[in-house]
Amino acid sequence: MLKAIAIDDENMALEVIKSHAAKVPFLELEAVFSDAITGFDYHKTQPVDLIFLDINMPDISGIDLAGMLQAETMVVFTTAYSEYAVKGFELNALDYLLKPFSLSRFLQACQKARDWKELQPSETNGHVFIKTSEGQIKVHFADLLFCEATGNYVTFYLEGEKVISRMTFKELEKLLPSYFVRTHRSFIANKHRMDKIGKHQVQLGEYTVPVSLSYGGLL
């Protein structure tokens, strides 16, 4: 079951979302908010899987609010202005619904959110599927030493091989369990596989990963 909230300063838009949500069997719309700050405060104390978020709001824009959310929270932007679409996807929004949107289009966004949630790892399932140019590859966390981000690509360093996937660092952080920690702006390493932790670098088998001052406290 997907737990969701909606934030939109237009009551009519919230009513449409409530109506559509009631028809989606795997979606639980817990609350709706016409005030962005109130909705954000709710999210901090009652984490949800998904937020339907308007962009053009008076106190704080949906784009600014999205940048303040927890990394694992999925966002579907809802707006009447198509010019925000590119900016929305730059923020790694899961989807973008242009008002007025139909039930079928709303359902499509919800299905995308459910599919994404099912791909996310738990602390115990031990693996995740990584999308590559050759299809999806199963990566076991026990075999994953560290990840390196370069632009819009991430290289997964496993024992004896590398896997490259097109994704952002924010998407990468959502995929990995909590024992993968950021050592540098471009590196996330498996704490369980660290052989030596130094002031400026970490040793993982044959590899050396840099440690920056900004992230060294996480080790």
Side-chain angles (χ1 to χ4, degrees), residues 3 8 13 40 52 77 97 143 147 163 177 185 189 196 201:
K3 294 184 177 181
D8 196 309
F40 178 70
F52 296 99
F77 282 123
L97 297 178
D143 298 330
C147 303
V163 176
R185 62 176 301 189
K196 183 179 180 181
Q201 62 186 29

Side-chain angles (χ1 to χ4, degrees), residues 99-175:
K99 299 174 183 178
F101 45 86
S102 65
L103 173 59
S104 61
R105 183 66 184 87
F106 181 84
L107 179 60
Q108 181 182 351
C110 293
Q111 182 63 59
K112 187 182 296 186
R114 182 169 71 167
D115 290 345
W116 178 256
K117 183 182 178 182
E118 289 176 351
L119 283 174
Q120 306 312 299
S122 68
E123 294 291 324
T124 58
N125 70 4
H127 68 269
V128 70
F129 282 91
I130 303 298
K131 184 181 294 185
T132 72
S133 59
E134 299 176 355
Q136 294 203 34
I137 296 178
K138 188 176 185 179
V139 171
H140 292 275
F141 297 134
D143 298 330
L144 179 57
L145 301 175
F146 66 96
C147 303
E148 179 182 7
T150 306
N152 290 325
Y153 289 88
V154 170
T155 301
F156 294 78
Y157 287 81
L158 302 147
E159 289 188 341
E161 68 173 319
K162 301 176 185 178
V163 176
I164 299 176
S165 178
R166 183 179 175 85
M167 67 172 64
T168 64
F169 214 99
K170 189 173 183 179
E171 290 170 334
L172 171 64
E173 289 179 306
K174 291 179 181 179
L175 287 176

Side-chain angles (χ1 to χ4, degrees), residues 5 7-9 33-43 53-54 57-62 65:
I5 62 173
I7 303 175
D8 196 309
D9 64 321
F33 302 92
S34 58
D35 175 76
I37 302 301
T38 304
F40 178 70
D41 287 342
Y42 179 93
H43 161 73
L53 183 59
D54 186 25
M57 294 185 290
D59 295 327
I60 181 172
S61 75
L65 186 61

